[in-house]
Amino acid sequence: MQHAAAPRDAVPGNPPGTAVERLVEVVDLLRRHCPWTAALDHAALLEYLVEETYELYEAVDDVARAEAPEQELLDELRGELGDVLFQVVLHAQLRAEAGSFGFAVVAEGLTDKLVRRNPHVFAADGSLRTATPADGGTGTPPSVDGIVATWRAVKAQERPARTSPFDGIPHHLPALAFAAKTLGRAGDGRAGEGRQEQGSEAELGKELLAVVRRALGAGLDPERALRRAVLDYQRDALDRA
């Protein structure tokens, strides 16, 4: 049996397992000895989760837009990743205290899902397939479309109760993300119509900003308008199905 390859580059510091174990231990100690942390519950943490996620989004985008990210940007990204990880570990700790599951079960579930949904990389037992482009094998590389199709097929098998392509899309997403996710799930060909018409992402951003400006000038709420349009689109699509 061939196991997964080690990380490509050595990273300074303790092995990930050691660092994660210490993090889980610290969170457990905070829950037992810090009155503020001990008072938290899932509901109270939601606003922090949303805030930290947006801060991470901004940090990732700052690094992505920089041709050669300065150390300050990388430090910011590292810190924001840690803040989001803290939220994940804390929510898992709350479930551990309730006797449901702990962080290890969350990590194991994620690992199993990644193996299951990527059969072009992993065998059913979790070992690395021997004939893959990644390890110099002679197998034919799968197409990106094929990989996505397999991912979706396995996901559908995991949740057979979801009969609508829009099931599982959070309605609390920002309206623009809600719209993009909906069109993507619908496989709407119109989602790609503007690729040749739009010169760049920057130009598209200016057009979107102009739409928002017109909405505000007309006394309309662009967020609510788009959200309602997406909900109408979903309803109409299901009616046609």
Side-chain angles (χ1 to χ4, degrees), residues 40-55:
L40 294 171
D41 58 18
H42 287 301
L45 283 168
L46 286 179
E47 67 172 292
Y48 299 110
L49 177 61
V50 172
E51 180 181 347
E52 299 295 358
T53 301
Y54 275 114
E55 290 180 359

Side-chain angles (χ1 to χ4, degrees), residues 176-224:
L176 197 56
F178 188 35
K181 196 73 173 178
T182 293
L183 292 175
R185 287 281 189 91
D188 192 332
R190 286 172 292 179
E193 277 183 3
R195 289 179 182 174
Q196 293 182 349
E197 298 173 6
Q198 300 296 338
S200 68
E201 189 175 80
E203 291 180 15
L204 175 60
K206 291 178 180 178
E207 289 192 13
L208 292 172
L209 183 61
V211 171
V212 173
R213 184 181 294 112
R214 290 200 301 271
L216 295 178
L220 301 174
D221 183 338
E223 176 77 12
R224 184 170 61 238

